[in-house]
């Protein structure tokens, strides 16, 4: 064992005083924890009660119903998975919210989920919740250890403390997790041989193995074995530091900034280093670890923890003021039904005693009135026989003998049976663990009503679940602070997605994610999950009902809601079905994308074809107009005469069309009076067409006049003739 500095070795009396003060402050809760864990999981009767029952001749039987209530909650908790959310801390600059930072948040969230819900941690959540319900509190330790005996890389682990009654915290701590205290620790027992093997022979000097009368001793005998308690003690050390806020949004200490400038100069970066915007003094907390026993400080280490690594998991405790001081009172789930459980035992024992002492004799008769030959008939009442008796005493005929009579059994007092029957119902009322369908006819309740009642029946246990969640939230904060300190080398990070799918994330390699984030820029929140089996069934029923009542919802859910639907189904092979469903949806999306792309290409081709046709038509029209204009500018005599004939023919045709249109218009006006109002629309349309025809005729007339003028200009003068 390495030598410990004198300044640390001299603190042994102070460190032992911290432990003993906590044991004194928390002694009532420790005793209650031990009592109720035995009360629930072993027996509801003490040794004194068993001795009393034996002395009065009553049966030593019990009717433990407490474990059934706790097992019900533990069974439902086993089907639940708390939800984790990691987000940016309040006040983080917007420029820091880069895609890489968002990817870091998602990866850490998935890694936390893999740590908490990994089967390799011996069902940590289930065991802790069992302690909270049965004893009122528990504890979780966060620690780091090498991946294996040949590895130089360390992982972050969580484990339930060895014994919650051996935890040590600061009595002044007021947060539920007790992380605001000045210290924490845990005691763990070692045998004498194991202690010498780990800490050396000299560490065991001056240790006396004798049990303390008050109940706590640093060393004692457990049967033939010598046991030594070793305390792993974590203490906060506070030192003053100057912190800088840099232009890039990061906050560093003065020492860290000086190191940054030095590295910046050594790397000869062209860019200027981030400048200091503001600075202030602050308190920086570090955690140191002591290990000590009854007579010696065994080692001292300055750790990388920023928060106390042992987390107190509270159930449903309360702070009570007694004699001018506040005390924390931890209460197990069955704390208030202890008396009713004892009453149930007593009524059951009394009922059993009545049954045990029930008189089995059928007939009582005077010895003189029984004939000797019929004695067996009186003794063997199970065999059908005729019972005879002597009416008169044969030795004294005047003496009339009493006839045999049946024995009337004394009934069991109804108070005993009523108490035995009503005690469980009263226990349910005290716990708030009731069946919501009690007192309601089965015919008047649907299956959904029964399911919702089953969920509501457990609301009284919510404070214990909330206490567990608050402790888990603190554990997540500690892990986030340790990740950038220990995950520095290239490695694969185990992750667990929200859908339960596991995988690995490569980190700290070129092109991958680097775990060099600032822990103060992240916040984690743990909430109760909603994936109870009954709630899944209700969710499935709700989706089915909405799909039947709303076509748009059904269409949307069929296209986008398949993963949610499968997540609410509990069948064998659901994980493989989810995986295949994801691949199938990807294939469907690819096919839809290809179909849309083909359709878009066809539309674009049609548009291009139409545009080309329109362009060709415009070019032909432009050529015709250009030729006509050219002909009008220099017409020949034959062209002028031909144009005159064509214009005259067009004019005659237009005049004829106008006359026919006028006649048709008058007819329409006449019929419009006897037809529906819808004809007015057609009449207006016809009038517009007539106006267009007149406009065309006027244009033709004007064009004819223009041609005549050109003809006159084209005729030769007398001089030209």
């Amino acid at each position: 064992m390495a030598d410990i500095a004198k300044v640390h070795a001299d603190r042994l009396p102070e460190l032992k005083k911290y432990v003993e003060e906590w044991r004194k402050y928390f002694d009532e809760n420790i005793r209650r924890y031990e009592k109720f864990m035995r009360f629930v999981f072993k027996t509801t009767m003490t040794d004194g009660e068993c001795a009393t029952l034996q002395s009065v001749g009553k049966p030593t039987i019990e009717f433990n119903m407490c474990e059934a209530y706790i097992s019900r909650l533990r069974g439902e908790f086993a089907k639940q998975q708390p939800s984790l959310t990691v987000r940016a801390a309040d006040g983080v600059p917007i420029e820091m919210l880069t895609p890489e930072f968002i990817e870091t948040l998602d990866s850490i969230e998935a890694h936390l989920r893999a740590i908490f819900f990994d089967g390799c941690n011996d069902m940590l959540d289930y065991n802790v919740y069992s302690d909270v319900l049965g004893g009122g509190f528990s504890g979780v330790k966060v620690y780091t250890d090498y991946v294996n005996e040949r590895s130089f890389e360390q992982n972050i682990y969580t484990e339930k403390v060895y014994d919650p009654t051996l935890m040590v915290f600061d009595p002044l701590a007021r947060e539920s997790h007790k992380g605001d205290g000045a210290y924490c620790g845990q005691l763990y027992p070692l045998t004498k041989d194991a202690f010498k093997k780990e800490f050396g022979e000299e560490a065991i000097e001056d240790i006396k193995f004798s049990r303390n009368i008050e109940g706590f001793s640093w060393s004692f005998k457990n049967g033939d074995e010598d046991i030594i308690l070793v305390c792993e003690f974590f203490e906060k050390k506070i030192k003053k530091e100057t912190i800088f806020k840099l232009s890039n949004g990061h906050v560093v200490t003065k020492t860290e900034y000086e190191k940054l400038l030095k590295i910046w100069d050594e790397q000869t970066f062209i860019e200027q280093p981030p400048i200091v915007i503001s600075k202030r003094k602050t308190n920086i907390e570090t955690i140191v670890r002591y290990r000590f026993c009854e007579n010696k400080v065994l080692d001292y280490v300055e750790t990388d923890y920023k928060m106390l690594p042992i987390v107190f998991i509270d159930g449903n405790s309360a702070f009570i003021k007694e004699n001018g001081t506040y005390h924390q009172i931890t209460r197990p789930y069955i704390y208030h039904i202890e008396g009713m459980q004892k009453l149930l035992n007593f009524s059951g024992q009394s009922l059993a005693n009545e049954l045990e002492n029930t008189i089995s004799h059928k007939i009582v008769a005077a010895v003189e009135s029984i004939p000797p030959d019929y004695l067996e008939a009186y003794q063997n009442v199970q065999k059908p026989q005729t019972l005879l008796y002597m009416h008169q005493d044969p030795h004294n005929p005047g003496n009339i003998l009493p006839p045999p009579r049946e024995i009337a059994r004394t009934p069991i007092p109804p108070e005993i049976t009523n108490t035995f029957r009503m005690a469980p119902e009263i226990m349910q009322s005290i716990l708030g663990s009731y069946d919501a369908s009690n007192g309601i006819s089965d015919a008047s309740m649907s299956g959904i009503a029964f399911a919702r009642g089953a969920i509501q029946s457990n609301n009284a246990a919510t404070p214990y679940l909330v206490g567990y969640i608050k402790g888990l939230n603190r554990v997540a904060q500690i892990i986030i602070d340790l990740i950038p300190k220990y995950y520095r080398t290239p490695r694969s990070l185990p992750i667990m997605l929200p859908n339960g799918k596991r995988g690995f994330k490569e980190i700290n390699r070129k092109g991958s994610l680097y775990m060099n984030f600032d822990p103060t820029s992240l916040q984690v929140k743990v909430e109760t999950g909603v994936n109870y089996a009954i709630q899944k069934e209700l969710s499935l029923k709700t989706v089915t009902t909405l799909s039947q009542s709303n076509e748009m919802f059904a269409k949307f859910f069929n296209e986008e809601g398949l993963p949610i639907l499968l997540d609410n189904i509990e069948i064998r092979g659901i994980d493989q079905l989810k995986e295949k469903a994801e691949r199938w949806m990807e294939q469907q999306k690819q096919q839809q994308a290809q179909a849309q792309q083909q359709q878009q290409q066809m539309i674009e081709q049609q548009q291009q074809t139409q545009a080309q046709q329109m362009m060709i038509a415009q070019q032909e029209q432009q050529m015709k107009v250009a030729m006509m204009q050219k002909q009008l500018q220099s017409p020949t005599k034959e062209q002028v005469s031909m144009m005159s004939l064509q214009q005259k023919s067009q004019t005659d045709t237009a005049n004829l069309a106008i006359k026919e249109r006028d006649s048709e218009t008058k007819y329409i006006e006449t019929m419009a009076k006897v037809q529906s109002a819808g004809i007015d629309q057609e009449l207006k349309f016809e009038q517009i067409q007539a106006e267009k025809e007149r406009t065309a005729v006027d244009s033709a007339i004007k064009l004819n006049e223009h041609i005549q003028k050109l003809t006159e200009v084209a005729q030769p003068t007398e001089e030209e003739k």
Side-chain angles (χ1 to χ4, degrees):
M1 184 181 67
D3 293 335
I4 306 299
K6 188 175 185 302
V7 65
H8 303 308
D10 291 343
R11 292 197 63 198
L12 179 63
E14 180 185 1
L15 298 175
K16 290 176 62 177
K17 182 181 178 181
Y18 287 149
V19 175
E20 292 166 0
E21 285 181 348
W22 166 258
R23 297 285 303 186
K24 183 178 179 180
Y25 166 79
F26 215 64
D27 181 67
E28 181 183 351
N29 295 323
I30 293 173
R31 294 180 183 273
R32 188 181 299 111
Y33 177 95
E34 295 172 344
K35 170 187 173 182
F36 276 92
M37 290 296 284
R38 183 179 185 273
F39 191 83
V40 174
F41 298 107
K42 184 178 181 181
T43 176
T44 58
M45 293 173 20
T46 63
D47 295 337
E49 291 173 345
C50 293
T52 302
L53 290 173
Q54 291 175 356
S55 65
V56 298
K58 285 187 177 182
T60 56
I61 59 176
E62 59 179 311
F63 307 88
N64 189 348
M65 297 191 65
C66 298
E67 186 175 1
Y69 295 122
I70 290 180
S71 296
R72 177 186 180 185
L73 296 176
R74 291 194 301 172
E76 294 179 353
F77 178 81
K79 301 176 183 178
Q80 184 192 19
Q81 177 177 302
S83 59
L84 285 162
T85 304
V86 178
R87 63 180 181 86
D90 297 335
V92 172
I94 297 178
E95 55 269 16
M96 288 184 60
L97 302 179
T98 60
E100 183 179 0
F101 184 78
I102 302 300
E103 185 182 359
T104 302
L105 297 180
D106 296 338
S107 301
I108 293 175
E109 179 181 312
H111 182 55
L112 287 175
R113 198 177 290 109
I115 292 177
F116 288 147
F117 311 123
D118 189 1
C120 298
N121 60 8
D122 192 29
M123 295 293 291
L124 170 72
D125 49 349
Y126 181 83
N127 295 331
V128 170
Y129 193 59
S130 297
D131 282 351
V132 169
L133 292 174
F137 62 91
S138 186
V140 175
K141 179 185 176 183
V142 182
Y143 68 100
T144 60
D145 196 4
Y146 291 103
V147 178
N148 53 58
E149 65 274 6
R150 292 181 175 271
S151 175
F152 288 92
E153 296 179 347
Q154 296 191 54
N155 277 347
I156 302 172
Y157 300 96
T158 58
E159 68 175 4
K160 177 181 165 301
V161 295
Y162 173 77
D163 184 352
T165 62
L166 296 179
M167 294 188 300
V168 178
F169 292 98
D170 187 356
L172 298 179
R174 286 296 175 265
E175 296 289 343
S176 62
H177 50 72
K178 299 193 179 299
D180 59 327
Y183 55 83
C184 74
Q186 68 168 336
L187 298 160
Y188 57 94
L190 289 177
T191 63
K192 183 178 180 180
D193 294 337
F195 184 85
K196 288 192 297 183
K197 185 176 181 180
E198 183 172 357
F199 300 106
E201 184 75 30
E202 67 278 5
I204 207 169
E205 297 176 356
D206 302 328
I207 294 181
K208 298 178 180 180
F209 298 93
S210 60
R211 182 176 292 277
N212 193 334
I213 299 177
E214 297 180 357
F216 175 74
S217 178
W218 286 95
S219 58
F220 54 90
K221 285 185 174 292
N222 183 21
D224 296 333
E225 284 190 326
D226 295 330
I227 304 297
I228 302 173
L229 286 180
V230 177
C231 182
E232 186 180 28
F233 191 85
F234 297 90
E235 186 180 21
K236 289 182 180 179
K237 295 292 185 181
I238 300 176
K239 59 180 180 180
K240 293 288 186 179
E241 283 278 3
T242 302
I243 57 174
F244 294 157
K245 184 175 183 180
L246 306 182
S247 57
N248 58 2
H250 291 276
V251 177
V252 297
T253 63
K254 181 179 179 181
T255 305
E256 292 172 343
Y257 186 67
E258 291 174 352
K259 291 181 179 179
L260 172 67
L261 295 179
K262 183 178 180 180
I263 295 174
W264 201 280
D265 294 337
E266 292 176 354
Q267 297 293 334
T268 64
F269 292 130
I270 300 176
E271 300 84 357
Q272 291 294 324
I275 62 174
V276 177
I277 298 177
S278 59
K279 62 180 180 179
R280 69 177 181 89
K281 293 285 187 180
T282 188
N283 294 327
I284 301 296
E285 292 183 353
T286 58
I287 307 296
V288 298
R289 189 196 72 179
Y290 291 91
R291 282 200 297 177
F292 59 91
C293 60
E294 180 180 1
N295 64 338
K296 186 171 292 187
V297 175
L298 302 173
D299 65 9
Y300 169 82
V301 176
E302 294 184 358
T303 70
D304 293 322
Y305 295 116
K306 185 180 178 182
M307 293 169 274
L308 295 176
I310 299 178
V311 180
F312 183 83
I313 308 296
D314 192 10
N316 188 19
S317 65
F319 282 90
I320 308 298
K321 186 176 182 180
E322 294 179 340
N323 301 325
T325 59
Y326 282 95
H327 292 276
Q328 183 180 13
I329 306 298
T330 59
R331 301 172 298 169
Y333 178 66
I334 56 151
Y335 177 70
H336 291 296
I337 66 168
E338 179 187 6
M340 285 306 304
Q341 178 63 59
K342 291 183 177 295
L343 179 61
L344 177 64
N345 288 343
F346 181 76
S347 61
Q349 291 159 1
S350 299
L351 180 60
N353 185 60
E354 290 288 338
L355 296 174
E356 188 178 40
N357 296 324
T358 300
I359 298 175
S360 59
H361 303 295
K362 304 293 183 182
I363 297 173
V364 60
V367 177
E368 296 83 0
S369 63
I370 301 175
D373 296 338
Y374 291 91
L375 181 61
E376 183 181 356
Y378 283 91
Q379 293 177 345
N380 190 5
V381 295
Q382 286 80 12
K383 185 177 180 180
Q385 299 182 64
T386 301
L387 300 179
L388 300 178
Y389 73 97
M390 291 186 292
H391 180 65
Q392 294 180 348
D393 189 352
H395 302 289
N396 188 3
N399 186 16
I400 305 300
L401 298 176
R405 59 181 177 84
E406 294 182 359
I407 297 177
R409 293 182 179 179
T410 303
I412 297 176
E415 292 79 9
I416 295 178
T417 55
N418 291 339
T419 302
F420 186 74
R421 185 177 64 253
M422 294 298 295
E425 298 180 6
I426 298 175
M427 294 169 69
Q428 286 184 348
S429 300
I430 294 174
L431 291 176
S433 177
Y434 63 93
D435 188 353
S437 62
N438 280 344
I440 303 177
S441 175
D442 292 349
S444 61
M445 289 188 66
S446 64
I448 298 178
F450 277 110
R452 294 189 185 278
I455 296 176
Q456 295 171 359
S457 301
N458 298 325
N459 286 341
T462 302
Y464 295 88
L465 183 60
V466 171
Y468 165 76
I469 292 298
K470 289 195 292 186
L472 198 65
N473 197 79
R474 180 67 174 184
V475 173
Q477 293 173 0
I478 298 173
I479 294 175
I480 287 179
D481 180 72
L482 293 176
I483 286 177
K485 299 175 182 177
Y486 284 88
Y487 293 171
R488 296 180 176 180
T489 58
R491 62 196 302 177
S492 58
L493 204 65
I495 61 174
M496 181 177 178
L497 301 179
N499 59 3
K501 189 175 181 180
R502 297 180 179 272
F504 292 91
K505 181 77 174 181
E506 191 175 12
I507 60 172
N508 299 331
R509 293 185 185 274
K510 187 176 181 180
S512 64
L513 190 66
Y514 282 85
M515 288 295 168
N516 55 357
F517 60 89
D518 182 5
T520 60
S521 63
L522 274 64
Q523 286 183 348
V524 62
K525 183 178 182 182
V526 183
E527 297 177 327
T528 55
V530 295
N531 55 339
Y532 288 97
I534 294 178
Q535 288 177 330
K536 285 186 175 183
E537 184 178 349
L538 290 177
S539 301
L540 186 62
K541 183 68 176 177
T542 302
V543 170
T544 304
T545 304
L546 289 174
S547 300
Q548 293 174 353
S549 61
N550 191 315
E551 294 181 359
M552 294 297 294
F553 180 83
K555 182 180 179 182
F556 167 76
F557 207 84
N558 288 335
E559 295 177 355
E560 302 293 339
L562 183 59
I564 299 175
L565 183 65
L566 294 177
D567 195 43
N568 286 278
I569 296 177
E570 290 289 344
I571 59 175
R572 186 176 180 181
I574 188 63
D575 295 332
Q576 293 87 345
L577 187 60
K578 288 180 181 179
E579 185 177 354
K580 292 180 179 179
E582 291 179 0
R583 293 201 301 265
W584 181 79
M585 290 185 65
E586 289 294 333
Q587 293 175 359
Q588 293 296 317
K589 289 181 179 180
Q590 291 177 1
Q591 292 177 1
Q592 291 179 0
Q594 292 176 358
Q596 291 177 356
Q597 186 177 2
Q598 292 176 358
Q599 186 177 4
Q600 184 66 26
Q601 291 176 355
M602 292 177 62
I603 293 174
E604 291 178 355
Q605 291 177 358
Q606 292 178 357
Q607 291 177 350
Q608 291 177 0
T609 303
Q610 292 177 357
Q612 291 176 358
Q613 293 176 353
M614 291 178 63
M615 186 179 295
I616 293 172
Q618 289 178 358
Q619 291 177 355
E620 292 178 352
Q621 187 67 23
Q622 290 175 358
M623 291 176 63
K624 290 180 180 179
V625 172
M627 291 177 62
M628 185 176 291
Q629 290 178 352
K630 184 177 181 180
Q631 291 175 355
L632 291 175
Q633 290 176 359
S634 58
T636 60
K637 294 180 179 180
E638 291 80 4
Q639 289 176 344
V640 172
S641 59
M642 184 63 67
M643 291 173 59
S644 299
L645 293 174
Q646 290 177 354
Q647 187 63 37
K648 183 178 180 182
S649 176
Q650 291 176 358
T651 303
D652 295 340
T653 303
N655 290 331
L656 180 60
I658 290 172
K659 291 180 180 180
E660 293 177 353
R661 184 63 62 188
D662 289 341
S663 177
E664 186 176 358
T665 301
K666 291 179 181 179
Y667 173 77
I668 292 174
E669 290 176 353
T670 304
M671 294 300 296
K673 296 179 181 179
V674 295
Q675 293 180 352
S676 62
I679 303 300
D680 294 337
Q681 297 292 335
E682 186 178 354
L683 178 60
K684 292 180 181 180
F685 177 77
E686 296 295 340
Q687 289 177 349
I688 292 171
Q689 290 296 112
E691 290 296 330
K692 289 182 178 180
E693 295 287 348
R694 291 192 184 94
T695 303
V697 172
D698 293 338
S699 299
I701 293 172
K702 291 180 180 179
L703 182 59
N704 188 27
E705 292 176 354
H706 180 68
I707 292 173
Q708 289 180 357
K709 290 180 180 180
L710 291 175
T711 304
E712 292 175 357
V713 172
Q715 289 179 356
T717 59
E718 293 295 335
E719 295 178 356
E720 291 176 345
K721 291 179 180 180

